[in-house]
Amino acid sequence: MTLFPGSAVQQLEFDKIKLLLAQHCRSQYAAGKANELRIHTNRKFIEPELLQTNEYKLIFQNHLNFPDDAVLDLARELKLLSIESSVLSGDQFLQIKKLALAIQQIFRWFSPDRKVAYPSLASIIEQTWFEKNIGMLIDEIIDETGMVKDNASEKLSSIRIALYRKRTELKKVFAKIVSRLNKLGYLTEIEESFMNGRKVLAVFAEQKRMVKGILHGESDSRRTSFIEPEETTYLNNEIVALENEELKEIYIILQQLTTRMRAYHPLLTSYHQMIGEYDFIRAKAKLALDYNGNLPSLHDTPMLHLKNATHPLLFIYNQKSGKPTIPVDLSLDDKKRILVISGPNAGGKTVTLKTAGLLQIMVQCGLLVSCSHDSEFGIFKQLMIHIGDTQSLEFELSTYSSHLFNMKYFMENANGKTMFLIDELGSGSDPNLGGAFAEVIMEELAKKHSLGIVTTHYLNLKVMANKVSGIINGAMAFDEKNLKPLYRLVIGQPGSSYTFAIAERIGLPKELIQKARKLVDDAHFSLDKLLNRTEQDQQQMELEKKHLSKLLAENERLQKNLNQLIAKEKHQQQIELLKEQNRINQSKYNYLKEMDRKLKSLVAEWKKTDDKKKVIKMMQAALYKQPEKQILKKKQQKIDDKFVEINKPVNIGDKVKMQQNRQIGTVKEIRGKKAIVLIGSMPITVSLDDLAVVAERITNNESQPGA
């Protein structure tokens, strides 16, 4: 992407984003990429980087542990390995082994399931493989401390055995000498030491002529002399000779290992790059978590649809300060090419403009952006900005001259793949003349099919935005009552500068304000007042809309709770019904089980006994509920004792007996084939076929007087 001017990176504060990214990098490779971050213009480069960063962010959010703990900067070692006749040290081979082990862990981490879950991260290792021979070759020669192993060659093994023997012999001889001279009082408290790689005695300076040997030096105080006894000189010479042979053999072994390892130099270089790439992607994911970055949709065509977008640096700052960051929504596409933002000073116009530019650069660098997932970004070839005072002393340009110089560049070079951001278009000159030039500039940029954002206080630009197709108004909301900017962008209407309202609120004399009003054109003042009132009315409508939305949400919540209670009650009723059904079924089951047992017993009794009648009675007793039968029998006997049936038709006023329930009543009314019978004081409708006329029996006591 081409940026204009050269200071665009600093003006949009993209350099601060790169600095924050570099701070999250652990390797020199990743930090170098962060400092030299490229702004791509090809989707095939942008999209994979966005997906990789988003997948690593998901790893953090899912609390998974990606094996990238090894921070290895092996550029020097790998460069040395590529040079013929070079020799790597044991410690350098250990670093190469760590690199191979780190790659092995990454290969193991990408199981088949994880390759499906994180395909973009897995693609980094798709074109390579893990070579286990690298670690095996190093393990054969180098131990865990970086020393060459004794069995690396037969010659080295024999040299080290000989060294061990000579050093053991020297130790015994030296111990005897120390013991003898110590008794004579020739030695200091140190007794023995090493100088120039040889074992020496620490002798009092005044006794140095009493000890035969080679003087290697004296202490700083000159009180101690370091002497190699003549008895150990030969052994020391042999040990030094063997040590030199050991070093030569070690060099040969390391040279051979370096030669064998050189065959894997291209593979090791790719390993090193992969480790650095994963560290760089990790840094981008960590940075995205700092400012709540998300993965937007990406398109080839130039366009911009921001939803809930915030300035990443402002978000980080406000989060540390415990302040909220107000998001903005805006759109730029073929139908809405230029957004003209107006409103009071310090209302958030410039921040909104910078947010759009900074997020666009970040996306084309493969960085996640601080906006909603459903935001959409196109790809631009050029980004031109004009923000702040661009006065140039070097080129003898005033503020307005510099402004026009930049606008000239914009109009000459802008095209359909250009995004431009102009802060205070036309400012720095006479409002009428500057406003006229601003209108021409904006019209020319619209003809170029460029997309951009312009901030202004000029009334003619606000009017133009309502008339010219492809140019739309936007206003930064302002609370006139509390004299406080709301930092919220409202699309579709121009904003008032609130010049007189702010003057009144800060306490300027009313007569001065009134005098200033008279100097303003009536139409201009009326329009600004209308904009002011319209904006306040819209804010009130938004507050009422929010209140209504809150009430609707509360209503939905209550309705949901009610539905849950109803469903719970129905569920409880179903449970009770099932319990009752289970109880009845259990009772029936127990009855049938008991009856089955009784019938089996009766069948067995039938086969054994000759008294069949007895068995039949037992069956009747088992099959019929005797208590109910006895009750009915007693009830019938009681009625029969008191009443006698009379064979005659049923008439009104007759005493009758109901055959089904054995009750006695009086016929009150007859309706066709049914009669209404009073049982006590309760009327009951009964079929005539179920009724029998009765009369009270006459007992012996009642018949004697009439005899």
Side-chain angles (χ1 to χ4, degrees):
M1 176 188 277
T2 303
L3 298 177
F4 178 85
S7 60
V9 168
Q10 288 76 28
Q11 290 185 54
L12 291 176
E13 299 180 286
F14 183 57
D15 56 330
K16 295 180 181 179
I17 294 292
K18 293 199 295 183
L19 181 61
L20 291 175
L21 177 60
Q23 289 173 357
H24 283 296
C25 297
R26 299 174 298 176
S27 64
Q28 292 180 1
Y29 179 93
K33 287 200 71 171
N35 292 326
E36 302 297 329
L37 206 56
R38 282 194 62 186
I39 307 174
H40 301 287
T41 55
N42 194 324
R43 184 175 180 176
K44 72 177 184 179
F45 295 119
I46 300 170
E47 199 161 43
E49 291 197 17
L50 287 172
L51 292 171
Q52 288 167 358
T53 307
N54 188 58
E55 287 176 5
Y56 211 117
K57 191 187 84 165
L58 292 175
I59 289 175
F60 279 130
Q61 292 175 335
N62 294 330
H63 304 290
L64 297 176
N65 183 27
F66 189 80
D68 63 347
D69 296 331
V71 181
L72 302 168
D73 292 313
L74 302 181
R76 182 177 177 277
E77 286 78 1
L78 292 173
K79 185 176 181 180
L80 187 63
L81 184 63
S82 65
I83 300 172
E84 291 292 334
S85 73
S86 62
V87 179
L88 297 183
S89 67
D91 289 336
Q92 289 173 324
F93 276 115
L94 279 185
Q95 292 298 309
I96 290 175
K97 180 184 174 183
K98 286 181 181 178
L99 175 62
L101 290 175
I103 289 295
Q104 182 184 29
Q105 289 177 345
I106 291 174
F107 271 90
R108 287 178 177 175
W109 192 86
F110 279 108
S111 62
D113 291 341
R114 283 178 174 162
K115 284 182 179 179
V116 174
Y118 308 102
S120 298
L121 286 175
S123 66
I124 296 175
I125 61 171
E126 275 183 357
Q127 303 302 320
T128 188
W129 69 96
F130 171 66
E131 181 56 70
K132 62 181 181 181
N133 284 336
I134 294 173
M136 292 173 62
L137 285 173
I138 295 172
D139 285 338
E140 286 178 3
I141 305 299
I142 309 297
D143 65 13
E144 295 178 355
T145 63
M147 300 295 294
V148 176
K149 292 182 177 180
D150 294 345
N151 58 357
S153 71
E154 291 184 5
K155 185 176 181 180
L156 181 63
S157 178
S158 62
I159 290 172
R160 286 184 173 173
I161 290 171
L163 266 174
Y164 174 76
R165 289 173 178 170
K166 291 296 180 182
R167 285 169 180 163
T168 303
E169 184 180 352
L170 175 62
K171 187 177 180 181
K172 291 178 179 177
V173 173
F174 205 85
K176 291 180 180 178
I177 296 171
V178 167
S179 177
R180 175 171 56 83
L181 296 178
N182 208 17
K183 289 179 180 178
L184 295 173
Y186 294 169
L187 302 181
T188 66
E189 293 180 357
I190 301 173
E191 295 184 352
E192 63 179 71
S193 185
F194 283 89
M195 290 198 72
N196 303 323
R198 301 171 78 90
K199 210 167 188 180
V200 295
L201 296 169
V203 182
F204 287 114
E206 58 270 22
Q207 303 293 338
K208 63 182 179 181
R209 299 189 184 278
M210 305 301 297
V211 179
K212 294 181 180 180
I214 302 171
L215 178 66
H216 283 270
E218 293 179 332
S219 66
D220 294 338
S221 62
R222 306 276 181 171
R223 293 180 180 179
T224 304
S225 299
F226 298 102
I227 300 172
E228 178 183 357
E230 62 178 0
E231 297 96 323
T232 63
T233 302
Y234 177 73
L235 285 173
N236 272 328
N237 288 339
E238 285 191 332
I239 289 171
V240 170
L242 287 171
E243 287 175 344
N244 289 332
E245 287 185 33
E246 181 188 27
L247 290 175
K248 289 179 183 178
E249 183 62 20
I250 288 173
Y251 181 84
I252 293 170
I253 293 169
L254 290 176
Q255 189 177 43
Q256 292 172 349
L257 180 59
T258 304
T259 302
R260 295 171 70 185
M261 195 60 61
R262 191 170 290 119
Y264 299 105
H265 176 263
L267 187 61
L268 289 169
T269 301
S270 68
Y271 285 175
H272 189 248
Q273 289 176 350
M274 281 188 285
I275 292 291
E277 283 295 330
Y278 281 121
D279 185 37
F280 180 59
I281 296 167
R282 173 191 172 278
K284 291 195 292 182
K286 291 280 283 184
L287 180 62
L289 291 173
D290 290 343
Y291 56 71
N292 194 27
N294 292 305
L295 175 67
S297 299
L298 192 65
H299 303 274
D300 290 315
T301 55
M303 50 91 71
L304 181 65
H305 292 301
L306 294 180
K307 293 186 179 180
N308 293 323
T310 58
H311 194 290
L313 297 175
L314 183 61
F315 182 89
I316 293 172
Y317 173 78
N318 285 343
Q319 194 173 45
K320 290 179 180 178
S321 305
K323 300 177 183 178
T325 305
I326 309 301
V328 297
D329 295 354
L330 62 86
S331 294
L332 298 174
D333 52 34
D334 287 334
K335 295 181 180 179
K336 297 173 285 187
R337 290 191 168 276
I338 301 176
L339 173 62
V340 179
I341 303 177
S342 51
N345 287 323
K349 299 191 299 295
T350 304
V351 172
T352 301
L353 180 136
K354 284 186 172 183
T355 299
L358 180 59
L359 295 187
Q360 185 63 48
I361 291 178
M362 289 173 66
V363 161
Q364 293 190 215
C365 287
L367 296 173
L368 301 182
V369 283
S370 51
C371 56
S372 296
H373 294 89
D374 50 353
S375 296
E376 300 176 58
F377 285 79
I379 298 174
F380 292 88
K381 300 286 187 181
Q382 297 183 98
L383 177 61
M384 303 176 181
I385 71 168
H386 177 83
I387 299 173
D389 185 1
T390 54
Q391 184 178 18
S392 175
L393 298 178
E394 181 183 357
F395 297 103
E396 298 182 353
L397 294 175
S398 66
T399 299
Y400 188 65
S401 298
S402 178
H403 182 90
L404 287 181
F405 179 82
N406 286 346
M407 293 306 102
K408 178 176 178 289
Y409 181 90
F410 281 27
M411 291 185 287
E412 289 175 349
N413 295 279
N415 55 45
K417 294 185 177 180
T418 300
M419 174 186 279
F420 63 88
L421 307 170
I422 306 174
D423 190 25
E424 302 294 349
L425 177 59
S427 63
S429 180
D430 178 87
N432 292 326
L433 301 179
F437 262 118
E439 195 169 334
V440 171
I441 292 166
M442 198 159 67
E443 185 178 358
E444 188 65 24
L445 290 173
K447 288 180 182 179
K448 296 274 188 177
H449 300 286
S450 301
L451 276 64
I453 302 173
V454 172
T455 69
T456 187
H457 288 284
Y458 287 164
L459 184 61
N460 64 313
L461 296 185
K462 302 176 190 178
V463 175
M464 179 186 179
N466 283 333
K467 291 181 178 180
V468 180
S469 176
I471 304 177
I472 58 172
N473 268 310
M476 300 308 300
F478 187 80
D479 184 357
E480 185 182 7
K481 183 178 179 181
N482 297 309
L483 202 65
K484 179 181 177 183
L486 301 177
Y487 306 111
R488 189 176 70 250
L489 177 63
V490 181
I491 302 295
Q493 70 174 46
S496 169
S497 296
Y498 292 94
T499 304
F500 295 114
I502 293 173
E504 287 178 1
R505 294 292 183 233
I506 64 175
L508 283 179
K510 291 184 178 180
E511 57 272 16
L512 294 180
I513 296 172
Q514 193 64 30
K515 187 176 180 181
R517 278 176 175 167
K518 290 178 181 179
L519 296 174
V520 179
D521 181 73
D522 289 341
H524 192 138
F525 177 71
S526 298
L527 182 57
D528 189 71
K529 191 173 181 181
L530 179 62
L531 290 175
N532 190 335
R533 189 183 311 127
T534 302
E535 186 174 341
Q536 297 306 313
D537 289 345
Q538 186 171 8
Q539 289 180 19
Q540 184 62 32
M541 288 177 62
E542 287 183 2
L543 289 174
E544 292 176 358
K545 185 179 177 181
K546 286 182 179 179
H547 181 64
L548 180 59
S549 299
K550 186 177 180 181
L551 292 176
L552 288 173
E554 180 66 16
N555 184 53
E556 288 180 6
R557 186 185 66 80
L558 293 174
Q559 184 66 39
K560 185 178 179 181
N561 291 341
L562 180 60
N563 291 337
Q564 289 176 348
L565 287 173
I566 291 172
K568 187 176 180 181
E569 184 63 27
K570 286 182 178 179
H571 180 65
Q572 190 63 33
Q573 289 177 1
Q574 289 176 351
I575 291 174
E576 294 297 330
L577 180 60
L578 288 172
K579 284 182 179 179
E580 183 63 21
Q581 289 176 349
N582 290 337
R583 188 186 64 77
I584 294 171
N585 290 337
Q586 184 65 34
S587 178
K588 289 180 179 179
Y589 173 75
N590 293 337
Y591 171 77
L592 292 173
K593 189 175 180 182
E594 179 65 19
M595 187 56 67
D596 180 64
R597 184 187 64 77
K598 288 180 179 180
L599 289 175
K600 286 180 180 179
S601 177
L602 289 171
V603 169
E605 186 67 24
W606 178 274
K607 291 178 180 179
K608 289 192 293 181
T609 184
D610 295 331
D611 190 355
K612 305 299 184 185
K613 290 182 179 181
K614 181 181 177 183
V615 177
I616 291 171
K617 288 181 180 179
M618 292 171 65
M619 285 184 179
Q620 289 176 342
L623 292 173
Y624 301 104
K625 294 182 179 180
Q626 295 300 319
E628 291 182 7
K629 190 174 180 182
Q630 289 175 3
I631 290 169
L632 290 173
K633 189 175 180 181
K634 286 181 180 179
K635 194 172 183 181
Q636 182 63 39
Q637 185 64 42
K638 188 175 181 182
I639 292 172
D640 290 343
D641 290 343
K642 192 172 182 181
F643 298 94
V644 62
E645 291 186 12
I646 301 173
N647 189 13
K648 57 171 282 193
V650 177
N651 294 313
I652 295 173
D654 288 343
K655 280 191 177 295
V656 292
K657 178 177 73 174
M658 289 184 283
Q659 301 290 358
Q660 286 188 355
N661 58 13
R662 311 294 182 184
Q663 287 184 312
I664 303 296
T666 303
V667 179
K668 182 180 180 184
E669 187 180 349
I670 296 176
R671 297 177 181 176
K673 295 183 179 182
K674 293 186 177 180
I676 295 176
V677 180
L678 283 174
I679 306 295
S681 61
M682 183 180 294
I684 298 175
T685 302
V686 186
S687 174
L688 290 172
D689 295 336
D690 191 36
L691 298 177
V693 180
V694 295
E696 291 189 18
R697 286 181 182 274
I698 301 173
T699 61
N700 292 332
N701 294 334
E702 291 175 344
S703 63
Q704 285 177 1

